[in-house]
């Protein structure tokens, strides 16, 4: 008994307390089975059947019909839910694809900008280095020229100082010579007189 109850619960999805509610049974009982044509001569059976009396299979038929309707509704809901989920999955896949494309486009754009910036920085560094080298060369040449000028000026001053000393010494020697000449002349004059 419990096995059949479990099978019925699995098939219907209802617990035993939910299975046969009076209102549900009433609606199932109100539905009539289609007429059955008996084998052979059914006239005898048809004539004996009273239309006001319900058929013994009408209630089980109503229950089965209710189960079929519930199953059809559940299948329709399941199919609608599956279609909704499929549409959502498709939408998400499209969104992921578009995001991947946008990411790849952004990545390539940034790489291109970085390469362009790198080239600009490299050329600016080269230009700056060239300018610094030119400035260094000019400064070195100016310092060299200034050093040469200062060296020349110092040499010139030294030469002037040496010349002045030399001229002073020449003057002193001339005076000494002149004094000696005067003495010699005086001696020579004194010897001759």
């Amino acid at each position: 008994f419990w096995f059949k109850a479990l099978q019925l619960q699995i098939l219907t999805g209802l617990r035993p307390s939910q299975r046969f509610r009076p209102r549900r049974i009433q609606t199932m009982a109100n539905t009539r089975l289609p007429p059955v044509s008996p084998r052979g001569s059914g006239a005898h059976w048809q004539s004996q059947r009273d239309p006001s009396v319900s058929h013994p299979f009408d209630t089980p038929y109503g229950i089965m019909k209710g189960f079929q309707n519930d199953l059809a509704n559940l299948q329709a809901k399941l199919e609608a839910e599956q279609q909704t989920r499929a549409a959502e999955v498709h939408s998400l896949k499209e969104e992921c694809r578009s995001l991947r494309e946008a990411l790849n486009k952004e990545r390539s754009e940034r790489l291109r900008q970085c390469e362009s910036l790198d080239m600009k920085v490299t050329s600016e560094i080269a230009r700056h280095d060239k300018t610094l080298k030119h400035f260094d060369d000019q400064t070195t040449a100016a310092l060299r020229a200034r050093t040469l000028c200062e060296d020349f000026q110092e040499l010139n001053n030294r030469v002037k100082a040496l010349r002045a000393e030399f001229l002073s010494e020449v003057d002193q020697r001339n005076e000494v010579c002149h004094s000696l000449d005067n003495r010699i002349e005086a001696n020579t004059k004194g010897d001759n007189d």
Side-chain angles (χ1 to χ4, degrees):
F1 172 75
W2 63 271
F3 182 73
K4 287 192 178 198
L6 182 63
Q7 279 182 331
L8 190 58
Q9 181 179 356
I10 290 172
L11 288 176
T12 61
L14 301 174
R15 290 189 302 272
S17 61
Q18 294 176 323
R19 247 184 248 129
F20 300 108
R21 291 189 180 147
R23 195 176 71 188
R24 188 172 183 141
I25 292 173
Q26 190 65 22
T27 57
M28 288 184 215
N30 288 338
T31 58
R32 292 233 182 251
L33 289 173
V36 178
S37 57
R39 291 187 187 140
S41 75
H44 176 67
W45 181 78
Q46 290 269 341
S47 63
Q48 289 181 352
R49 184 169 181 264
D50 184 11
S52 63
V53 178
S54 68
H55 191 277
F57 293 128
D58 282 345
T59 303
Y61 177 75
I63 293 171
M64 293 294 290
K65 206 60 167 157
F67 287 158
Q68 285 177 348
N69 288 339
D70 289 346
L71 184 61
N73 288 338
L74 289 174
Q75 284 177 339
K77 286 180 183 179
L78 177 65
E79 190 175 315
E81 186 69 25
Q82 285 175 339
Q83 288 176 354
T84 304
R85 294 292 176 240
E88 287 175 358
V89 166
H90 180 71
S91 171
L92 289 173
K93 283 182 180 178
E94 286 295 317
E95 186 178 348
C96 285
R97 186 186 57 75
S98 66
L99 288 173
R100 279 192 192 108
E101 288 175 358
L103 179 65
N104 288 336
K105 184 178 179 182
E106 172 111 10
R107 183 181 295 142
S108 63
E109 180 69 25
R110 291 212 179 181
L111 284 174
R112 189 177 55 77
Q113 287 176 351
C114 287
E115 288 172 358
S116 172
L117 186 62
D118 187 41
M119 289 174 59
K120 287 178 183 177
V121 166
T122 303
S123 67
E124 186 64 26
I125 287 172
R127 188 186 68 77
H128 190 264
D129 286 347
K130 186 178 178 182
T131 304
L132 283 177
K133 174 115 175 78
H134 181 66
F135 179 72
D136 186 44
D137 291 346
Q138 284 181 339
T139 305
T140 304
L143 285 173
R144 191 177 302 125
R146 185 171 180 175
T147 304
L148 286 174
C149 287
E150 288 175 1
D151 288 347
F152 178 74
Q153 189 70 31
E154 189 178 328
L155 276 171
N156 194 17
N157 289 339
R158 180 92 173 135
V159 167
K160 282 182 183 178
L162 286 173
R163 187 170 190 261
E165 285 178 26
F166 177 72
L167 288 176
S168 170
E169 194 176 321
V170 166
D171 286 342
Q172 286 175 1
R173 284 187 187 200
N174 281 339
E175 283 179 21
V176 169
C177 284
H178 190 342
S179 161
L180 281 174
D181 279 342
N182 285 341
R183 276 185 185 169
I184 292 176
E185 204 177 297
N187 260 343
T188 311
K189 228 188 210 193
D191 283 340
N192 289 338
D193 276 336

